[in-house]
Amino acid sequence: MNQETPNHYFDAAAETGVHTDFSRAMSYGAYLQLDKILTAQHPLSDSHDELLFIVMHQATELWLKLMLHEVRAAQGLIRADQPQPAFKMLARVSRIQAQIIQSWDVLSTMTPADYLSFRDALGKSSGFQSYGYRRIEFALGNRSEALIAPHRHDPELAAELEEALNSPSLYDDAIRLLARRGFAIDPAVLNRDLRRSWTSDPSVLAAWREVYRDTERHWDLYELAEKLVDIEDWFQQWRFRHMKTVERIIGMRQGTGGSSGVAYLKRALDFAFFPELWALRTSL
Ligand code: HEM
């Protein structure tokens, strides 16, 4: 090899001290349990594209799991009146969202014909039954008891979703923090029925407006609000990319989960987790 070729200087085999005996020590694969993860892809058809479809879903589910881990930890910190360290977690959630939005580009290399080659094998299974997604929607505040129904066959999972439905959302925790900081939040808001989605409330709007009108005084609340807006913004972009990718692949067909498909996914775009944070922008 030519002396000037950079690769000349990279010779992995020449590296001394590389560990090679894992008969007693924990290896990379053992730590990550790759034997489970990398053997969990079982296409049901001979279609070349089905592996892409499975990996895309599984990778997204892993990222959703991490998102929930971060959101829950952030909620704990906000409840303990420590919003500052929660910001790091919420920022991480946004970066994960950027990652899963980007991954639609990989899936959209699949054409309608590719998808139809294995779609029948999916039966009635659909993202509607993604409990990872439902848990994150519930944690952020988009709640509906009816959406637990596809998980009732698994009592443990249904109980976990029930518990999530009865616990404050990230936004409930943010509003309670506003109340503890002395903002006049309507008591009905603080004692609301947690099982329902948040709608909107004038006392919450007034409180956030005050925060945005004097950002220096309320800097951490202002930062919290902007972190929430980031999450909502990215969430909508994920929903939009999902809807558009679905339209590109199945057009206006019904979904395997039984919904109207793209029409349903378009309606989901109208939901806002943190409506006052959007409304205040018009009335500042
Ligand atoms: C070919 C690719 C895909 C198609 C054609 C598709 C289609 C659909 C359709 C039509 C729905 C509405 C429910 C139904 O009737 O099934 C839906 C929901 C859903 N999909 Fe997909 N999807 C695709 C890929 C993905 C991927 C990669 C994910 C990532 C995990 C995903 C997650 C979800 C979730 C979470 C829902 C529920 C949304 C909600 O309740 O608002 N989908 N999908």
Side-chain angles (χ1 to χ4, degrees):
M1 194 187 279
N2 184 331
Q3 280 282 343
E4 279 151 36
T5 308
N7 277 345
H8 176 75
Y9 298 105
F10 178 70
D11 180 357
E15 197 66 25
T16 52
V18 172
H19 302 299
T20 51
D21 180 6
F22 290 94
S23 51
R24 284 159 195 244
M26 182 173 67
S27 72
Y28 171 86
Y31 173 66
L32 296 173
Q33 304 208 10
L34 295 181
D35 53 340
K36 288 193 189 134
I37 293 182
L38 297 179
T39 55
Q41 294 72 39
H42 302 289
L44 295 174
S45 72
D46 296 332
S47 167
H48 171 82
D49 290 79
E50 195 179 347
L51 185 61
L52 161 66
F53 186 79
I54 293 172
V55 169
M56 169 80 184
H57 280 84
Q58 289 182 338
T60 306
E61 290 290 342
L62 282 174
W63 286 121
L64 290 173
K65 179 174 181 167
L66 184 59
M67 270 171 78
L68 187 70
H69 176 70
E70 301 294 338
V71 167
R72 283 188 176 158
Q75 285 185 264
L77 287 162
I78 294 167
R79 276 176 213 166
D81 290 307
Q82 291 176 37
Q84 291 284 354
F87 296 155
K88 186 165 161 279
M89 293 161 184
L90 297 178
R92 185 175 290 163
V93 170
S94 289
R95 299 318 299 154
I96 297 168
Q97 291 176 294
Q99 181 77 24
I100 59 176
I101 290 165
Q102 184 74 44
S103 67
W104 287 114
D105 289 350
V106 184
L107 190 68
S108 59
T109 60
M110 189 170 74
T111 68
D114 296 334
Y115 179 59
L116 286 175
S117 67
F118 64 87
R119 188 186 197 232
D120 286 347
L122 304 177
K124 292 178 180 162
S125 66
S126 147
F128 251 168
Q129 300 126 39
S130 163
Y131 44 86
Y133 183 78
R134 208 52 65 206
R135 283 189 301 201
I136 196 82
E137 283 262 25
F138 282 6
L140 295 180
N142 186 10
R143 299 179 164 199
S144 153
E145 193 166 351
L147 291 173
I148 301 182
H151 308 287
R152 293 270 179 224
H153 65 279
D154 182 336
E156 210 174 302
L157 200 53
E160 200 201 312
L161 288 168
E162 280 287 343
E163 196 195 327
L165 210 57
N166 289 319
S167 310
S169 69
L170 174 61
Y171 199 45
D172 287 311
D173 284 323
I175 293 168
R176 290 173 185 194
L177 179 64
L178 287 174
R180 290 198 297 281
R181 292 287 182 88
F183 289 91
I185 304 294
D186 187 336
V189 166
L190 302 173
N191 299 310
R192 78 181 194 92
D193 176 4
L194 296 173
R195 298 175 71 84
R196 298 176 151 233
S197 287
W198 178 259
T199 41
S200 77
D201 177 84
S203 69
V204 173
L205 176 61
W208 285 126
R209 206 186 279 135
E210 230 177 297
V211 168
Y212 276 71
R213 282 189 178 151
D214 193 349
T215 54
E216 277 185 31
R217 186 159 162 223
H218 307 294
W219 189 266
D220 60 348
L221 294 172
Y222 169 56
E223 198 172 351
L224 173 61
E226 285 298 295
K227 290 277 182 282
L228 296 181
V229 173
D230 277 344
I231 290 177
E232 173 120 41
D233 191 348
W234 289 112
F235 210 100
Q236 285 292 27
Q237 292 188 46
W238 186 89
R239 285 195 185 119
F240 182 81
R241 287 298 312 270
H242 178 227
M243 182 275 291
K244 223 48 205 170
T245 310
V246 172
E247 184 176 2
R248 184 175 168 160
I249 297 177
I250 65 166
M252 292 306 186
R253 280 166 187 263
Q254 243 200 343
T256 48
S259 81
S260 54
V262 166
Y264 166 80
L265 297 173
K266 274 190 181 157
R267 282 202 304 280
L269 287 174
D270 290 335
F271 183 85
F273 296 117
F274 320 123
E276 293 83 0
L277 295 178
W278 295 95
L280 73 83
R281 284 157 154 79
T282 316
S283 55
L284 259 190

